[in-house]
Amino acid sequence: MSRSLRKADAKSLIDSTDTEERVFGQTELPVLSSLQDECSLLGASGFAGSGRHAGKPAPGLLEHGVACANIYSFSEETVSRPYDFQSIESKWQERWAAARAFEVTEDSARAKFYCLEMLPYPSGKIHMGHVRNYSIGDVVARFKRMRGFNVLHPIGWDALGLPAENAALKHGAHPEEWTRSNISHMKRQLQRMGFSYAWDREIASCDPAYYRWNQWFFIQMFKKGIAYRKKAAVNWCPSCQTVLANEQVEGGRCWRCGSEVSQRDLEQWFLRTTQYAEELLSDMALLGQWPERVLTMQRNWIGRSEGAEIDFPVEGEDPIRVFTTRVDTIFGATFLLLAPGHPRAKAYADRSPELARFMEEVTREAKDPATVEKKGMATGCYAVNPFTQQPVPIWVADYVLMEYGTGAVMAVPAHDERDFDFARKYELPIRVVVQPSDATLSEDSIEAAYVDYGTLVDSGPFTGLPSQEAISAMARYAEEQGFGKKTITYRLRDWGISRQRYWGTPIPMIHCGACGIVPVPEEELPVVLPKAIQITGQGESPLAAMPEFVNVACPQCGGAGRRETDTMDTFVDSSWYFYRYTDPKNDTAAVSASAVGYWFPIDLYIGGIEHAILHLIYSRFWTKVMRDLGLVAISEPVTQLLSQGMVLKDGAVMSKSTGNVVEPDEVVERYGADTLRLYVLFEAPPEKEIDWTDQRLEGPARFLQRVWRLVDAEATQVKAAGLIDGEEDWNEAEASLRRKTHQTILRVTRDIEERFHMNTAISAIMELTNEVYRSLEPRPERPEAWRAVGEAVEAIVLLISPFTPHAAEEMWEILGQRGGLNRVEWPSYDPAMAVQEIVTLVLQVNGRVRSRIAIPADLEEGEVRRLALDDEKVRSLTLGRTVERVVVVPKRLVNVVVTE
RNA sequence: GCCGGGGUGGCGGAAUGGCAGACGCGGGGGACUUAAAAUCCCCUGAGGCAACCCCUCGUGCGGGUUCGAGUCCCGCCCCCGGCACCA
């Protein structure tokens, strides 16, 4: 039977219900008029036809979701009303909005908490990844509020970028219209999820009032030499018809469309991220609360290597400088390799049409290192190995990268796999100069490069040294002799930010024939994107085709100038947006010192692992630049990072093309936002991925209704019993329930606060709920019992409120509370309450569990030991054997160690 | 190849070195019902046993430390992620 309200109580409760206060005005009438006839109840609820037998369910959703969410709990004795999530959720969303419940101001008297989730791109509608990301953040924000923090929990829109232009091409909509309408739709969706955002701080990067500051930052960086222009081989996506940053190329393909990327030479704007490479690396020491995998990815990406630069003299020319991490192998350097893009290689190519053809060919080819054979061509020129004084031939090879090191390498075939392959193919000499400890290599017998450290041989005065020692000794020698030095090289490249696109921040620069490149005067910012535009999706920026945009007077000389028509990479927008939230309407500065000083650093930043590198390195870089500009006092923007796992369906990323998308709206429609939130939070800990399963929605849905029924049905009894006054004489059952309540408060608090494991927090609340149900069977008589139940029920409602805020607010009200949960304190844990007086002691013999006994928790050790040895089971197993020792773990177990 | 993270029931997942599998899904049984749905209760790692008294095995594999190991150490295997002609 249902452990709900007695029928009489139900009647009186419903009769007394103020329909204005309760949200059930619509559905409760049938309840009253037809308590005797459930069928008509179901009919009246309007959902009976949508159940299991109603024909085909909507794809991807549980078939009887609505029906089961609206079924009336019913029995001879008791009744509770349906959990009508639709009206509950809209009621509370309206209230929160009207009360501006989540807006905050700086308050130096209160501890702040800045809870941030990665801002969405307004692609059209939210997806499950958003739901998960923002649900996690919302739990933390609501929890921290109840813990007394002044919580900043903002949201905005990463609103510039390619898809808006693609939409313009496809549907003819203006990028701005498309973006704005997406924003307003997605905003409604977010509100429907009940996320507790400070909507008054909402920003959109496509607002000139926002991107104006991108332009301002750019000019400051230009003045400091951080923003600079250079002609460079850039990645060109033939499909998107635009330049891509290195970071936007994945395995030689465009990160967006997957087309093969080719190379082009263009004048581009760059930000000198490499200037901060060392600091980006060393400051990771400050990121102790970042996931290890993210730090690892960034470390790999920055790619620091220590080595040496060595000059190889060339007769009649400048020496060629190489970078090597293995200068200890230099006596084995039998040839020199230049990247096809190396200036010296180009000079040689001018003299040799054959070489020129070769270089052009290998530059054009997209190469896959795993499969493609290395190619090279001799230049016919020679350099001198400065250690051996031997001449070495200079070759051009396709596997040498211009962008890394110096673009030239010394080739040591005996000790580098790639050089070994190359030497074998082109029959170049191989010289062994490092010997392993367990074998002796020779030129004739060597089968593969030996790349590990060893002992130097045939290396002049360095012979006999171990590699490690030789590396520093030889670098020192080169430095003394003036043909080399120790150096550090990074894989990180400067950040190319020019895009030949319309829907981005115009780069605020003017090209003047007389003055060169001149920044737009700051008082003229923003340079606004013109509205009347033709998007063709090809060639140069669409802005270049607008004379009224391009033609402008030079701010310096007043002569005819041309405006820069490239726009900025959208990663610029997201590199500093979180600062803007602290002072979003400031029209005199990007940020204000007081607001940033109060709110920063971000205490918790939550987002997808896909942003582990790009966004998070750029953001760190930007913060360091802002610090050097005197805008902020910190070096790192984010104290703790939480990388949440993806939401998959059938093991694959949800995508339109795969057809495995589950729409949040549809789930909200059928189950309510609270249940959806509960599902994504309960399914797994946040950092793991989850595979969406319709079936599993049932658990959270049932649980929430179970809590609902409990609260709704027992509210009258609980209220009548009154509050705990400390005078009660608890019996064991009551004390046990109270113990469970306080243990649960502790568990839930820790799970949220310390590790964000929402799944175990929820399961703890489930346990307490189950416990309360059990305590109502049989229905208790004592008022004390009802007070204990009341305490538990109240705790459940408060503990669950960050997860299912709408239902919690409603239940809080049903329990007779007013004023909303926003200002209610998180339940406090009473350590004395949670202490167990009687504990179960596990008895082991030789490490195997053999028995259990109940003992008082404070029993002294000698007594515990005696009771354990006295246990019948233990005695039977120790009979005739020698007790070697007895291990007593207080309140837990006793292990009796015996031998034959 | 280098670096990082993981391998626990039919499934998602729990376990400060101390009862492996909490909680939930699925499955089975029962109560209620004319019936179904919903709800409530019980059972649900594998094997053994006449026995729901128990016993054995069990956290990828092999060793080790320990009274006691999913957890710590050593050596492997596999999976996932990042980087990758980076000299």
Side-chain angles (χ1 to χ4, degrees), chain A residues 157-399:
Chain A
W157 307 96
D158 187 18
L160 292 167
L162 217 46
E165 281 182 62
N166 292 342
L169 281 171
K170 226 170 147 185
H171 312 296
H174 190 280
E176 177 157 12
E177 309 305 324
W178 184 83
T179 303
R180 295 276 175 204
S181 99
N182 287 348
I183 288 176
S184 75
H185 178 69
M186 291 171 74
K187 181 174 178 175
R188 276 198 303 278
Q189 290 185 299
L190 293 182
Q191 286 170 330
R192 209 175 165 199
M193 287 301 301
F195 299 134
S196 61
Y197 290 124
W199 283 107
D200 58 322
R201 292 170 186 259
E202 178 183 3
I203 56 173
S205 58
C206 61
D207 278 337
Y210 180 84
Y211 67 67
R212 165 188 183 178
W213 300 108
N214 286 344
Q215 296 171 342
W216 181 84
F217 277 120
F218 183 89
I219 290 168
Q220 310 314 308
M221 291 191 199
F222 175 74
K223 288 179 183 165
K224 288 191 68 125
I226 293 168
Y228 68 99
R229 199 168 159 80
K230 73 173 177 193
K231 191 158 192 176
V234 291
N235 305 302
W236 178 262
C237 173
S239 157
C240 303
Q241 289 281 306
T242 192
V243 173
L244 300 169
N246 286 329
E247 292 85 344
Q248 294 171 331
V249 180
E250 290 167 350
R253 291 177 176 277
C254 174
W255 70 316
R256 267 189 201 285
C257 70
S259 314
E260 217 158 81
V261 170
S262 59
Q263 302 288 304
R264 274 203 180 180
D265 262 352
L266 277 178
E267 282 280 324
Q268 302 285 304
W269 285 100
F270 284 83
L271 301 184
R272 229 177 272 283
T273 42
T274 53
Q275 188 175 315
Y276 289 87
E278 189 58 45
E279 207 191 339
L280 286 168
L281 203 59
S282 60
D283 277 357
M284 284 186 199
L286 306 172
L287 304 180
Q289 295 189 74
W290 282 39
E292 196 52 48
R293 56 175 170 162
V294 172
L295 297 177
T296 304
M297 285 187 221
Q298 294 206 357
R299 220 172 270 127
N300 289 343
W301 192 258
I302 295 167
R304 181 185 198 269
S305 20
E306 286 183 25
E309 282 180 357
I310 305 290
D311 290 335
F312 280 60
V314 183
E315 207 184 326
E317 296 171 17
D318 290 337
I320 292 171
R321 178 166 292 184
V322 303
F323 172 76
T324 180
T325 54
R326 290 299 302 276
V327 67
D328 60 310
T329 65
I330 197 167
F331 278 80
T334 51
F335 51 100
L336 211 65
L337 297 171
L338 300 175
H342 195 283
R344 188 69 59 91
K346 285 179 183 163
Y348 293 146
D350 288 343
R351 294 184 240 146
S352 159
E354 202 194 348
L355 186 61
R357 225 174 302 123
F358 169 78
M359 282 164 54
E360 199 196 316
E361 196 181 304
V362 296
T363 310
R364 205 173 341 101
E365 278 172 2
K367 29 193 176 173
D368 179 4
T371 53
V372 168
E373 200 175 316
K374 302 173 195 344
K375 282 188 204 141
M377 185 175 280
T379 64
C381 297
Y382 286 80
V384 175
N385 182 327
F387 276 81
T388 64
Q389 305 304 329
Q390 301 283 313
V392 291
I394 302 170
W395 285 60
V396 174
D398 65 346
Y399 70 96

Side-chain angles (χ1 to χ4, degrees), chain A residues 863-877:
Chain A
E863 190 65 8
V864 170
R865 189 189 154 102
R866 198 187 61 73
L867 282 174
L869 289 169
D870 218 35
D871 178 79
E872 197 181 330
K873 187 77 210 254
V874 172
R875 265 168 54 187
S876 76
L877 283 159

Side-chain angles (χ1 to χ4, degrees), chain A residues 724-784:
Chain A
I724 292 170
D725 57 18
E727 301 298 311
E728 295 85 355
D729 183 16
W730 305 106
N731 67 27
E732 178 45 37
E734 293 150 8
S736 162
L737 177 60
R738 295 203 63 204
R739 207 150 49 225
K740 184 75 180 176
T741 300
H742 283 270
Q743 286 167 348
T744 304
I745 292 169
L746 181 66
R747 277 180 65 188
V748 174
T749 307
R750 285 206 175 144
D751 281 347
I752 300 176
E753 197 160 56
E754 291 170 16
R755 45 178 211 165
F756 313 115
H757 278 202
M758 316 308 182
N759 56 331
T760 50
I762 293 165
S763 72
I765 305 171
M766 288 173 168
E767 281 184 54
L768 178 58
T769 306
N770 293 343
E771 192 72 25
V772 175
Y773 268 90
R774 272 190 290 268
S775 79
L776 295 175
E777 182 75 56
R779 290 186 72 79
E781 301 292 334
R782 281 160 55 88
E784 288 89 339

Side-chain angles (χ1 to χ4, degrees), chain A residues 287-596:
Chain A
L287 304 180
Q289 295 189 74
W290 282 39
E292 196 52 48
R293 56 175 170 162
V294 172
L295 297 177
T296 304
M297 285 187 221
Q298 294 206 357
R299 220 172 270 127
N300 289 343
W301 192 258
I302 295 167
R304 181 185 198 269
S305 20
E306 286 183 25
E309 282 180 357
I310 305 290
D311 290 335
F312 280 60
V314 183
E315 207 184 326
E317 296 171 17
D318 290 337
I320 292 171
R321 178 166 292 184
V322 303
F323 172 76
T324 180
T325 54
R326 290 299 302 276
V327 67
D328 60 310
T329 65
I330 197 167
F331 278 80
T334 51
F335 51 100
L336 211 65
L337 297 171
L338 300 175
H342 195 283
R344 188 69 59 91
K346 285 179 183 163
Y348 293 146
D350 288 343
R351 294 184 240 146
S352 159
E354 202 194 348
L355 186 61
R357 225 174 302 123
F358 169 78
M359 282 164 54
E360 199 196 316
E361 196 181 304
V362 296
T363 310
R364 205 173 341 101
E365 278 172 2
K367 29 193 176 173
D368 179 4
T371 53
V372 168
E373 200 175 316
K374 302 173 195 344
K375 282 188 204 141
M377 185 175 280
T379 64
C381 297
Y382 286 80
V384 175
N385 182 327
F387 276 81
T388 64
Q389 305 304 329
Q390 301 283 313
V392 291
I394 302 170
W395 285 60
V396 174
D398 65 346
Y399 70 96
V400 178
L401 305 172
M402 189 58 225
E403 309 83 52
Y404 184 74
T406 60
V409 298
M410 65 180 207
V412 186
H415 305 293
D416 182 283
E417 282 172 23
R418 299 152 300 179
D419 299 345
F420 186 84
D421 293 346
F422 194 81
R424 275 284 154 90
K425 180 172 175 187
Y426 293 104
E427 297 179 337
L428 291 159
I430 298 171
R431 230 173 100 83
V432 174
V433 293
V434 176
Q435 288 291 2
S437 57
D438 57 350
T440 306
L441 302 173
S442 78
E443 266 90 273
D444 316 320
S445 65
I446 191 165
E447 291 292 328
Y450 174 70
V451 300
D452 292 338
Y453 285 164
T455 306
L456 270 65
V457 294
D458 295 329
S459 295
F462 304 99
T463 298
L465 287 180
S467 292
Q468 290 99 316
E469 280 176 39
I471 285 172
S472 52
M474 293 166 87
R476 212 179 314 122
Y477 174 77
E479 196 154 0
E480 283 159 14
Q481 299 296 308
F483 60 78
K485 62 170 200 284
K486 276 181 116 165
T487 186
I488 296 163
T489 302
Y490 301 90
R491 231 177 48 88
L492 184 74
R493 315 280 156 78
D494 281 340
W495 175 14
I497 59 155
S498 292
R499 296 291 178 275
Q500 291 66 46
R501 286 282 156 188
Y502 164 71
W503 195 231
T505 304
I507 294 173
M509 290 288 157
I510 291 164
H511 302 264
C512 168
C515 310
I517 294 171
V518 182
V520 172
E522 289 177 26
E523 59 275 14
E524 285 176 25
L525 297 181
V527 177
V528 178
L529 280 171
K531 193 97 201 250
I533 195 78
Q534 278 293 17
I535 308 278
T536 61
Q538 271 154 28
E540 277 186 283
S541 164
L543 294 171
M546 302 186 74
E548 64 275 28
F549 179 81
V550 175
N551 297 323
V552 66
C554 169
Q556 224 161 73
C557 68
R562 283 180 57 86
R563 214 184 265 289
E564 170 72 58
T565 57
D566 284 355
T567 54
M568 296 183 201
D569 182 2
T570 55
F571 276 95
V572 168
D573 310 315
S574 54
S575 294
W576 70 280
Y577 73 101
F578 34 75
Y579 288 108
R580 190 67 182 166
Y581 285 137
T582 65
D583 196 7
K585 296 183 176 76
N586 192 332
D587 59 4
T588 59
V591 294
S592 73
S594 58
V596 167

Side-chain angles (χ1 to χ4, degrees), chain A residues 88 92 95-96 99 101-102 141-148 196 674 793-827:
Chain A
I88 293 172
W92 287 99
R95 286 213 189 165
W96 295 329
F102 311 112
R142 287 178 181 271
F143 170 76
K144 288 287 177 181
R145 263 183 223 115
M146 292 175 81
R147 297 286 271 175
S196 61
D674 281 335
V793 165
E794 219 169 77
I796 289 169
V797 171
L798 293 176
L799 294 175
I800 208 176
S801 70
F803 304 94
T804 59
H806 313 87
E809 291 269 19
E810 189 66 27
M811 292 188 286
W812 192 238
E813 214 171 71
I814 291 170
L815 287 171
Q817 311 283 350
R818 286 292 177 274
L821 282 168
N822 203 23
R823 275 165 300 232
V824 175
E825 250 183 70
W826 188 249

